[in-house]
Amino acid sequence: MNSMTRETPAGLRSALQSRFGHAAPLLLLSLLLAVLTVAVGGRAARAEAALVTPGEMQSGALLFRANEKGRYVEAPRLGTDVDLTVSGPTARVHVTQVFQNPTDQWVEAVYVYPLPEDGAVDTLKMVVGDRVITGDIAAREEARRTYEAAKQAGRTAGLVEQERPNLFTTSVANVGPGETVLIRIEYQETVRQSGDRFSLRVPLVVAPRYTPAPVAQSVDFKPGQGWGRTMTDPVPGRDRITPPVLDPRDNAPVNPVTLTVKLQAGFPLGEVVSANHAVDVETQGPDSRVIRMKGPVPANRDFELSWTAAAGATPSVGLFRERVAGEDYLLAFVTPPALQQAEDKRPRDVVFVIDNSGSMGGASMDQAKSSLLYALGRLSPADRFNVVRFDDTLDVLFPDVVPADAEHVGRARSFVSGLEASGGTEMVPAMQAALAEHGDDGRARLRQVVFLTDGAIGNEQQLFDTIAGMRGRSRVFMVGIGSAPNTFLMSRAAELGRGTFTQIGAPDQVEERMRTLFEKLESPVVTNLSASFSAGGADATPETLPDLYRGEPVVLAARLAALSGTIEVKGMIGDRPWIVTLPVAQAAKGEGLSKLWARRRIADAEVAQTLGQIDAEQADQRILSLALQHHLVTRLTSLVAIDRTPRRPDGATLSRNDIPLNLPAGWDFDKVFGARPKPEFRQASLLLPAAARFNAPAAANNPVPVEDVVLPQTATDAELRIIAGLLLLLAGMTVFGFGRRSTGGRA
């Protein structure tokens, strides 16, 4: 496997420019100065010592216990920069993770991080000193073997693996003493549309996930046959999705994040709003904005950006094409009209499910209760309803659905208002209770399940299997609660349940987003959707178009035999037929459509397996073939980048460090992990100088849990070489900065 690319100085500057975007020079110069300060100042303060005491620390640092009493080793540090370019219906995203090793040890840094569940991850680049190494795609086990061999040989290596469609692991082996390594991951995703609002979401933190205990394997041998049956773990890779989490009461946040969005909507823009973070918005034209997060900010809540068109300019149809490797790809959007006269007046049976497990403690519980109380107020006298609450226990308020009269709604309000968060997240029994029907007297009624949760579980597939097996005539609507909901669970559960989903991340979003959701529930569904290509030979996804709710577009991706003819999309809005015809030849040029088509095809295979339409072997064959052809990370493929040159000296020990995560904003640490005895002393890790915004001086004097991890006490003289390499990077970026100023600061 050849994954080493040596670039010229100009090429390196170009790579770094791509990584840092418009704010590049000052940010990277600040970062490198900070690293040099740690490397030089720290060495002067501690001389040749590999170990420190808390009193020797001049700034916040996460410490690991060494095998010498009272001595500690600093953990690797992490910073993240996100650069997004939105081009019409798609976004290209660069995520650069800056791993800095402040210790005198050689380390392997392992970091679990989130990405959008529909993101097509296709590129890995690693910057080590003056080298830029580009990663290759390979089958997962092969990539892991390549990485492990490089790690053992002392070579710097990077590995990106998918744990869930929205959860990935980066491993970086052989980061030298005092060294900084940049890992850049790139992915493609589509913009989401609902009504007149377009949006994208950038996950920034992995929420702690509840993982049900493994089922003990039992063997039942048949006499004389020698064959038995065993049970498998309901949480695949449970040890890889449970990284350490810092207690925010005693730790300053880690992993400072900077983020820039270059928004090129393709139509005149109206409102541009960041729901969760303060931003600066620069207007560059009628359809163009640059949005910069005011920061750095701690990685403890997701970033969400939404925008609308100027008055009268909201598009209802979009058609885009791309040609890659001699093949044509198409992405089409069509929003059906909202027909007021066709409102669905059928009475409904609505089952509300609310998660009151420990992960919902704090602000999430308040948002969930407010959302459910709002929903109860939207019920009409003709509706019937029930309420289910769950943690690791389960309560169903009424034996069956009851009329939505004042008495029953009042009892439900009191029940919901008294809920408190605690315990585990046993979601499957709650979904089973919600989908179970009693009798057949409700066949003429709409049956809807509204499920409010943060989705913080590791056994998602068990939930999907439950929905696929029990959905019957029910439609499942997911409401993602909190600052970092599990959007993969929300979207896949809604897809399997023939419903839709929304997300509520702050108290001021409750009424507006629940109102929008109920407008969907109360409006006619667009059913019997189909799409046909007059030119034939199209490989389109999804194969079976889903039902649509008010304001939602039909989204169709296809690989075409010819860029000609028309696409005919038709369906029923209530009892009225609807049809639209799109001329393929008029499609505008798009970007990354082949990747998005392949990613959707991969998701189709996963869904088809869950629904029992294909077996596991068929699904794996489809996924592996698509992933290797289109260079995508999946559960069966990974990206690996290897530096050719061995760097770790013979005999130098390599220590693994799992970089901790922040607790999502609004979460209650004790509700999730239980009350713990006060640790011996604490300090918090920071990376960028601007991270003083996180109250670093105060953090330096506060205790941080000290992990009981014994690290080897080895040291090398590599630090001077690392400093020299950083100085070269600094000089290159200075030239790069002057070059940008001479061109007006534009990329």
Side-chain angles (χ1 to χ4, degrees), residues 617-631:
E617 183 177 355
Q618 291 173 310
D620 288 355
Q621 288 175 348
R622 293 185 188 180
I623 292 168
L624 188 59
S625 175
L626 285 163
L628 293 176
Q629 180 183 353
H630 293 272
H631 210 259

Side-chain angles (χ1 to χ4, degrees), residues 49-61:
L51 305 181
V52 298
T53 66
E56 292 175 327
M57 303 307 299
Q58 301 300 310
S59 63

Side-chain angles (χ1 to χ4, degrees), residues 232-268:
T232 57
D233 193 335
V235 184
R238 68 170 58 240
D239 59 327
R240 297 180 60 82
I241 64 171
T242 53
V245 178
L246 298 180
D247 187 340
R249 296 168 301 183
D250 304 311
N251 295 276
V254 296
N255 188 11
V257 175
T258 58
L259 185 146
T260 302
V261 180
K262 292 177 278 294
L263 173 59
Q264 300 160 359
F267 51 78

